[in-house]
Amino acid sequence: MAATTTTGAGAKPVIAVPFYSMYGHIATLAEEVIAGIEAAGGIAKPYFIAETLPAEVLEKMHAGASLKPKYPLLEPAHLTEVDGFIFGIPTRYGRAPAQVSAFFDKTGGLWASQALNGKYAATFTSTASQHGGQELTHLTTMPFFVHHGCIYVPIGYKEPYLSDNGEVHGASPWGVSTVANGDGSRVPTEGEKRVARFQGEHFTKIVAQAVRGRQ
Ligand SMILES: Cc1cc2nc3c(=O)[nH]c(=O)nc-3n(C[C@H](O)[C@H](O)[C@H](O)COP(=O)(O)O)c2cc1C
């Protein structure tokens, strides 16, 4: 049942960055996570998680980013082609949006074969309000990874910005995050973007150890 795919190109870990973003905040963090992966010598494969809401609902929600994804749409098979994945997941009621759940509902075949068992996983998120459920979103996303047998990689407190209480900011030991405001007017700060790059680098270094170990 264990996954056996060896995907590292040479010593380079291959890391997917699948994300869903309705208003662009997660998309901005994803670019920084990708930069961090590449800075650590990894190969980043960004994917967009497909929209599921009808057009008339999206119009009322003033959706923008999810209507014009910059990257290919994520399919379950993409996760088998990489060593690990860092999912970008905005908060909906303290958990992942239905779009993300709908994607995982398509991964039953991978679950049955345990094709993702032993791969590495991480998450980053955003909320409208400072205490609107960032850590809860990381936590309530865990069952997807646990059932697939993935190894969850948090960032801990190595990046000093996490311990800086001098300004309002996202990011927790689970992973980077941002605070978007109810109207989406707050954009990821330089500090949050720095933590996003740190998360990409940190994850890549951990996965690189496993890739090297297999070679
Ligand atoms: C249906 C719905 C539920 C939401 N639930 C929460 C919530 O529980 N807590 C919160 O702070 N923000 C909540 N938000 C705000 C989103 O988290 C915010 O718009 C998102 O993080 C922005 O990311 P994006 O720009 O990448 O789409 C919700 C938004 C929607 C549309």
Side-chain angles (χ1 to χ4, degrees):
M1 293 288 274
T4 54
T5 319
T6 301
T7 52
K12 288 191 169 202
V14 184
I15 295 162
V17 184
F19 66 93
Y20 174 78
S21 183
M22 185 175 271
Y23 303 113
H25 298 79
I26 286 287
T28 299
L29 291 180
E31 295 301 333
E32 302 298 333
V33 169
I34 290 164
I37 292 169
E38 291 173 347
I43 298 170
K45 294 194 155 199
Y47 295 104
F48 199 87
I49 296 173
E51 186 53 84
T52 58
L53 288 170
E56 60 267 30
V57 174
L58 291 166
E59 193 181 332
K60 285 180 184 155
M61 294 176 81
H62 308 290
S66 63
L67 297 174
K68 35 181 183 337
K70 182 177 162 189
Y71 296 114
L73 295 182
L74 180 68
E75 292 298 336
H78 293 138
L79 300 184
T80 68
E81 298 163 359
V82 297
D83 300 298
F85 18 83
I86 310 178
F87 273 81
I89 300 174
T91 293
R92 298 281 185 273
Y93 311 108
R95 61 175 182 79
Q99 290 84 347
V100 174
S101 286
F103 168 75
F104 277 101
D105 285 359
K106 288 165 56 177
T107 64
L110 299 183
W111 167 80
S113 62
Q114 284 294 287
L116 306 182
N117 196 309
K119 292 187 187 286
Y120 290 76
T123 46
F124 58 101
T125 188
S126 66
T127 53
S129 57
Q130 196 183 352
H131 301 292
Q134 298 185 351
E135 289 170 82
L136 200 53
T137 300
H138 293 290
L139 181 66
T140 52
T141 302
M142 288 288 284
F144 295 127
F145 302 125
V146 169
H147 285 246
H148 277 291
C150 300
I151 303 157
Y152 187 80
V153 182
I155 58 173
Y157 281 96
K158 261 183 155 178
E159 160 54 61
Y161 191 61
L162 271 96
S163 304
D164 177 358
N165 293 329
E167 61 188 25
V168 170
H169 66 78
S172 75
W174 294 82
V176 72
S177 48
T178 189
V179 184
N181 285 347
D183 61 0
S185 58
R186 185 180 180 279
V187 294
T189 62
E190 284 311 310
E192 290 163 348
K193 289 199 241 179
R194 193 170 67 244
V195 179
R197 289 193 295 278
F198 171 81
Q199 183 167 15
E201 285 194 51
H202 175 70
F203 186 85
T204 304
K205 286 175 190 166
I206 302 263
V207 176
Q209 292 170 3
V211 170
R212 277 197 301 271
R214 284 201 301 261
Q215 288 169 344

